[in-house]
Amino acid sequence: MSIYHVNYQTTNKYENPVKEALIVLLILPKADESQQFISFSIENNLNLDHFLMPNMYGFDRIMFRPSRPFSQLDINFQCQLEMEDINPYENIIEPLTNESEIIQSLDFKIDHQLFLKPTPSTRISKELLPDVLIKSDHQSSVEFLQTLNAFIFNQFQFEDQVDSLSNVPADTLKNNHGVCQDFAQFFIAVCRANKIPARYVSGYLNQGDGHIGSAMMHAWAEAYIPGTGWQGYDPTNNLMRDSHYIKVCHGTDYSDCAPIKGVLNTHGSNVTDYKVTVSQQAQQ
Amino acid sequence: MNAQILKSYQVEDHLLDEVFDHKGQIRAPYKRLYDYFNKYGSDDFKRVNEATKLSFLLQGITFATYAENPKGTERIFPFDLMPRIITGSEWKELEKGLIQRNIAINLFLKDIYNEKKILKDKIVPSELIFSSVNYNKYMVDFEPPGGIYNHISGTDLIKHSDGNFYVLEDNVRCPSGVSYVLSNRDALKKSLSQLFKALKVGTVFDYPEALSNCLHSVAPDGVDEATCAVLTPGMYNSAYYEHSFLAQSMGLELVEGRDLFVENGFLYMKTIYGQKKLDVLYRRIDDDFLDPLAFNPDSMLGVPGLMDVYRQGNVSLINAPGTGASDDKAVYSYIPQIVKYYLGEDPILQNVHTYQCEIPSEMDHVVNNLEKLVVKPVDQSGGYGIFVGSSASKAECEEMKQKIKQEPREYVAQPIMNLSSHSTYIDDTSQFEPRHVDLRAFTLLGKDYEYVLKGGLTRVALKRGSLIVNSSQGGGSKDTWVTELD
């Protein structure tokens, strides 16, 4: 068991006063049996009340609706939580002998359509993929997903600055580099091209332990393995999700998981900055 | 004596004329109307017709077309004094068929967003649904208040030369046109009042009350006295007149996105007395513009967070988002099977045979018989993009073939149906001439509530020989009388 302290700070400056807005933060760790809150607090410079509203997947979002003009909004979110130890390898059970049959069945495709259907940022044509990223019928999902995870880690170079938010998987493959978000979306694209349901995960990574990441929210992927269920894969670190990964939410791709979104009544430019720190308290 | 205005009417041989039979004899339901009209000469008629039109303009009953003028200048909806008559027995069948069809569509929508049984049972191909741009992921695993998706349906029907009505298209997103039905009736009531009683014509003026009942029936759980409103994209929308008309006739607020906001899981309307919670929103804006947080982020028309309030069950949206997955023209051809699947009944209303271009054998038939077919883009409404094979040039046919081959999922084709014709007063000749007509019927479904507007909107293709009746394509309209007499 580990205790984590997460701090998410964001500063948003607007060229012209914002008359009305809805600011939505998707940064609250998901509460479940493996991660539990000890405490959390949300503060802002405008003394606005916040309210919580779940998104379509049931993940709580923090919302602010400033109704008086403002030019700067600073939000400081802190939480303390307790993570159970997760040993991902424990979860993986023996691959089913009829796995391919299940994956190819109509019922499976219908039940998982949401996470099988490529989106613009998780689409890649099979023709572009090297042979090793084409799943063969006698390969189990587990084997294939491990190969995919290692491929991304070994072939692509990690960058810690986001240069653009819209690297499509084909670009990531061509350029051989990207940020965690690009790697997660590439991972998902390859899964979907191979008929494996996969989803985008946004959360916090404890980097203190030598993990690769940046001072931002981390992104990884979950793939659905028949018989086992959803399993987390982090291609940026070539790891499976363990207790260093604090999950906030999942969705079809980044667009479902953006940590901050706002609909503003203003004109002119704005600058958004944010910083994340995750620290682990002494082991008990 | 004045020339009798209906005397020189020419019936076209290959067509079904609803007023005259092939021998040029007046059909029974129109007998009284015919006698009445023939008492007048063309000059009298012209005068009454002009007066009626003027009253439309003065009342502001107008619409704007995008194709003609992108700036959205408004026009009056062309209208003539000669009503279309549907007999009581004919109507009874239509009404039963409309309710049956729309209930089946509702069950279909509930299914494809939840259990997906019809797809697993391979009645409807799952690819067809999941590849549709109108399949809305925000509706997955969610059931709207009252379990109703298509509260308001506009079903487009034609009367074929065999004398039967066929469904041409289902419209279950934001079907428009109902305000013209009421305005047309209003105008004719003034001009032809004596005939209404004689023919025992069913009323259409109960529509606003019926719609209001329908809206209230699907209020969120726990709301006793629902506050409803009509959401319009604004005065530049082609159907703005209708939005304001409906709001006014139901006694509801007409609001725009900027009048609304979301807080604490509920939807509120800004009023001069402060904020007021809204429970039911009859929205007349497209799905994509409803909520910039969920859909098109550039939309200035919607309300940020609306879809979340909706999924919380705290507001009812009329119609539900995502209904477009059931009324696209590719799904249309499966409606008879859909009726059978959910209701175990044979469909009362017939479909026009439809070829799915995405099925290779059907595509072959379509590209080889283009001159006998009407090709429609799956995803367009308002009559835009319709290709009529018989009146296309060789080059246009060739171009169409290429388009179909490139994106077969995007097109369906139907045999050219002979829409019935109806005597229509033509300004240029001051005469009655045959023009093609269709019928848009309006069905309401609420929680334990069903209603069909008696008559609906008869749309007229004003260009001689044209088969396209949509108002956005320069069509006109007629009042539609459902008579109790046969």
Side-chain angles (χ1 to χ4, degrees):
Chain A
M1 191 183 72
S2 325
I3 308 277
Y4 284 108
H5 184 258
V6 175
N7 182 205
Y8 179 104
Q9 279 176 291
T10 174
T11 307
N12 304 274
K13 289 181 182 146
Y14 305 94
E15 190 188 353
N16 295 300
V18 179
K19 295 184 200 93
E20 202 181 349
L22 186 71
I23 311 283
V24 180
L25 298 166
L26 189 43
I27 57 171
L28 199 61
K30 166 183 186 263
D32 63 20
E33 62 280 4
S34 65
Q35 38 185 57
Q36 277 164 24
F37 286 112
I38 297 167
S39 64
F40 73 87
S41 71
I42 305 156
E43 285 158 15
N44 65 83
N45 64 323
L46 301 175
N47 286 321
L48 299 166
D49 287 338
H50 70 272
F51 56 98
L52 295 181
M53 218 162 29
N55 72 359
M56 62 169 290
Y57 305 99
F59 299 106
D60 268 327
R61 287 169 305 171
I62 302 165
M63 296 197 180
F64 295 99
R65 201 187 73 82
S67 51
R68 289 209 182 83
F70 64 96
S71 322
Q72 181 165 348
L73 176 61
D74 304 329
I75 297 167
N76 188 345
F77 165 75
Q78 307 211 41
C79 81
Q80 241 195 341
L81 52 106
E82 196 178 288
M83 289 289 289
E84 290 297 317
D85 288 336
I86 302 170
N87 177 1
Y89 300 98
E90 247 172 30
N91 297 336
I92 304 269
I93 57 165
E94 209 46 26
L96 303 170
T97 46
N98 59 346
E99 200 191 77
S100 293
E101 214 174 286
I102 294 173
I103 288 179
Q104 274 154 32
S105 73
L106 181 66
D107 279 17
F108 185 84
K109 286 180 190 162
I110 290 172
D111 287 335
H112 296 284
Q113 61 88 21
L114 201 54
F115 299 114
L116 276 170
K117 185 177 167 180
T119 62
S121 50
T122 58
R123 178 176 289 125
I124 193 159
S125 148
K126 264 189 159 176
E127 280 91 71
L128 292 176
L129 295 176
D131 289 347
V132 60
L133 297 186
I134 307 287
K135 182 177 175 290
S136 74
D137 276 353
H138 30 83
Q139 199 177 13
S140 73
S141 296
V142 173
E143 264 176 274
F144 178 76
L145 292 166
Q146 273 159 359
T147 309
L148 170 59
N149 217 26
F151 177 92
I152 296 172
F153 180 77
N154 293 324
Q155 301 292 320
F156 300 157
Q157 204 186 336
F158 178 77
E159 287 169 336
D160 112 42
Q161 285 300 314
V162 185
D163 51 356
S164 99
L165 278 179
S166 56
N167 268 347
V168 294
D171 291 344
T172 308
L173 183 65
K174 199 173 71 195
N175 303 331
N176 283 318
H177 60 77
V179 297
C180 56
Q181 182 183 316
D182 301 321
F183 294 171
Q185 292 193 144
F186 182 83
F187 185 98
I188 295 163
V190 174
C191 287
R192 291 180 184 167
N194 284 288
K195 312 275 180 241
I196 299 173
R199 59 197 190 190
Y200 185 95
V201 185
S202 161
Y204 303 99
L205 172 63
N206 172 26
Q207 292 170 44
D209 234 24
H211 292 90
I212 301 171
S214 54
M216 294 187 293
M217 290 190 74
H218 193 56
W220 63 95
E222 285 177 352
Y224 188 88
I225 303 166
T228 300
W230 291 102
Q231 281 297 313
Y233 288 88
D234 178 13
T236 307
N237 288 289
N238 192 17
L239 288 173
M240 292 186 73
R241 184 223 177 184
D242 60 18
S243 38
H244 295 286
Y245 293 80
I246 302 164
K247 177 171 173 175
V248 168
C249 64
H250 64 242
T252 55
D253 60 18
Y254 171 80
S255 67
D256 279 343
C257 302
I260 181 163
K261 269 191 185 182
V263 180
L264 311 167
N265 178 359
T266 182
H267 53 95
S269 60
N270 68 74
V271 185
T272 295
D273 247 333
Y274 76 95
K275 204 178 92 186
V276 170
T277 53
V278 180
S279 50
Q280 190 178 6
Q281 293 179 1
Q283 295 276 338
Q284 294 184 343
Chain B
M1 199 176 122
N2 280 327
Q4 292 183 339
I5 49 166
L6 272 157
K7 277 285 155 135
S8 56
Y9 189 77
Q10 294 290 316
V11 178
E12 290 177 37
D13 272 350
H14 58 290
L15 294 176
L16 174 89
D17 192 278
E18 297 194 14
V19 184
F20 296 96
D21 66 16
H22 281 289
K23 291 180 199 134
Q25 296 295 309
I26 188 83
R27 293 182 191 272
Y30 285 89
K31 187 78 178 60
R32 277 170 195 262
L33 189 70
Y34 179 77
D35 293 342
Y36 186 84
F37 274 16
N38 268 339
K39 276 190 270 178
Y40 296 98
S42 55
D43 289 344
D44 300 326
F45 196 87
K46 213 169 167 174
R47 194 167 38 75
V48 182
N49 204 43
E50 288 301 321
T52 312
K53 266 194 199 162
L54 188 63
S55 86
F56 266 58
L57 193 61
L58 293 177
Q59 286 176 68
I61 306 169
T62 58
F63 75 105
T65 55
Y66 297 118
E68 275 177 16
N69 49 47
K71 282 188 193 142
T73 318
E74 294 175 61
R75 305 195 297 147
I76 51 168
F77 195 31
F79 166 78
D80 79 297
L81 278 180
M82 176 99 173
R84 178 208 215 156
I85 297 177
I86 299 177
T87 63
S89 53
E90 215 172 8
W91 181 254
K92 239 178 233 153
E93 272 305 286
L94 272 179
E95 193 173 83
K96 271 203 317 223
L98 287 164
I99 287 179
Q100 179 198 50
R101 188 175 178 102
N102 287 308
I103 285 180
I105 291 174
N106 192 57
L107 292 170
F108 176 66
L109 284 162
K110 193 196 280 193
D111 192 18
I112 60 172
Y113 284 118
N114 291 282
E115 286 183 73
K116 308 180 183 78
K117 267 165 53 195
I118 198 167
L119 308 179
K120 291 182 178 175
D121 288 342
K122 299 182 188 166
I123 309 294
V124 176
S126 56
E127 290 299 309
L128 189 72
I129 302 304
F130 298 146
S131 67
S132 163
V133 292
N134 298 304
Y135 187 78
N136 191 325
K137 75 175 180 187
Y138 281 82
M139 295 301 291
V140 173
D141 296 329
F142 168 75
E143 203 180 297
I148 305 292
Y149 292 77
N150 52 335
H151 311 83
I152 304 162
S153 309
T155 313
D156 291 345
L157 301 132
I158 57 160
K159 199 170 193 179
H160 187 45
S161 43
D162 64 9
N164 292 315
F165 276 102
Y166 288 81
V167 176
L168 204 55
E169 195 172 297
D170 298 287
N171 296 281
V172 294
R173 301 175 207 188
C174 286
S176 60
V178 76
S179 59
Y180 301 120
V181 177
L182 276 70
S183 313
N184 288 352
R185 179 61 54 87
D186 214 32
L188 276 207
K189 270 243 139 154
K190 286 174 194 142
S191 313
L192 305 175
S193 54
Q194 298 157 16
L195 276 174
F196 278 91
K197 275 198 187 130
L199 286 175
K200 298 195 172 168
V201 178
T203 185
V204 294
F205 294 122
D206 58 349
Y207 183 80
E209 193 190 337
L211 181 56
S212 176
N213 289 342
C214 177
L215 300 186
H216 279 92
S217 79
V218 293
D221 283 345
V223 174
D224 288 338
E225 197 42 55
T227 307
C228 314
V230 179
L231 174 64
T232 175
M235 60 178 289
Y236 292 109
N237 185 268
S238 64
Y240 183 70
Y241 166 74
E242 174 154 310
H243 307 159
S244 61
F245 173 89
L246 288 173
Q248 197 172 30
S249 58
M250 288 188 287
L252 303 181
E253 294 290 341
L254 179 67
V255 295
E256 293 184 30
R258 59 181 178 209
D259 303 323
L260 307 178
F261 65 91
V262 161
E263 199 165 79
N264 271 323
F266 291 92
L267 176 68
Y268 294 93
M269 168 169 65
K270 299 171 196 164
T271 78
I272 49 168
Y273 309 107
Q275 62 191 57
K276 186 161 174 48
K277 181 165 77 79
L278 271 186
D279 307 303
V280 181
L281 191 62
Y282 176 23
R283 49 91 178 204
R284 292 292 300 254
I285 65 179
D286 293 344
D287 287 9
D288 201 31
F289 296 97
L290 263 184
D291 177 352
L293 206 54
F295 308 124
N296 182 351
D298 302 323
S299 170
M300 305 292 286
L301 306 174
V303 190
L306 179 60
M307 283 307 289
D308 300 313
V309 177
Y310 184 55
R311 280 195 67 116
Q312 291 280 291
N314 291 341
V315 70
S316 231
L317 293 177
I318 314 296
N319 288 347
T323 49
S326 70
D327 74 354
D328 89 19
K329 294 178 181 78
V331 175
Y332 160 88
S333 62
Y334 292 94
I335 300 284
Q337 288 98 302
I338 288 171
V339 171
K340 188 108 203 187
Y341 182 79
Y342 294 109
L343 303 175
E345 299 165 5
D346 286 325
I348 298 165
L349 294 177
Q350 301 299 306
N351 260 15
V352 176
H353 186 80
T354 302
Y355 299 95
Q356 303 276 354
C357 293
E358 67 171 347
I359 300 171
S361 60
E362 305 213 343
M363 177 169 89
D364 285 348
H365 177 88
V366 171
V367 293
N368 293 327
N369 295 278
L370 218 47
E371 67 288 349
K372 291 180 224 150
L373 299 169
V374 178
V375 181
K376 298 175 175 180
V378 167
D379 205 40
Q380 281 278 4
S381 65
Y384 290 102
I386 290 183
F387 171 90
V388 182
S390 58
S391 54
S393 71
K394 266 225 164 84
E396 286 168 330
C397 282
E398 209 39 56
E399 193 190 334
M400 193 70 234
K401 278 183 196 173
Q402 291 312 320
K403 280 191 190 162
I404 294 173
K405 284 178 180 165
Q406 271 161 23
E407 294 197 75
R409 167 70 178 83
E410 298 304 311
Y411 296 96
V412 296
Q414 292 166 343
I416 296 174
M417 293 291 280
N418 281 327
L419 274 68
S420 57
S421 65
H422 196 289
S423 315
T424 301
Y425 186 75
I426 303 301
D427 285 347
D428 294 349
T429 60
S430 303
Q431 282 294 336
F432 277 93
E433 293 180 15
R435 286 294 182 271
H436 289 294
V437 292
D438 81 344
L439 177 69
R440 173 168 287 187
F442 295 92
T443 306
L444 303 180
L445 294 181
K447 191 167 188 277
D448 306 317
Y449 186 78
E450 292 159 5
Y451 167 93
V452 182
L453 178 66
K454 266 205 169 63
L457 183 67
T458 290
R459 299 184 298 179
V460 187
L462 285 178
K463 238 165 72 188
R464 187 170 208 141
S466 168
L467 295 171
I468 297 172
V469 295
N470 303 66
S471 57
S472 47
Q473 302 280 298
S477 77
K478 276 181 180 297
D479 193 14
T480 312
W481 293 4
V482 174
T483 155
E484 272 182 41
L485 311 175
D486 270 329

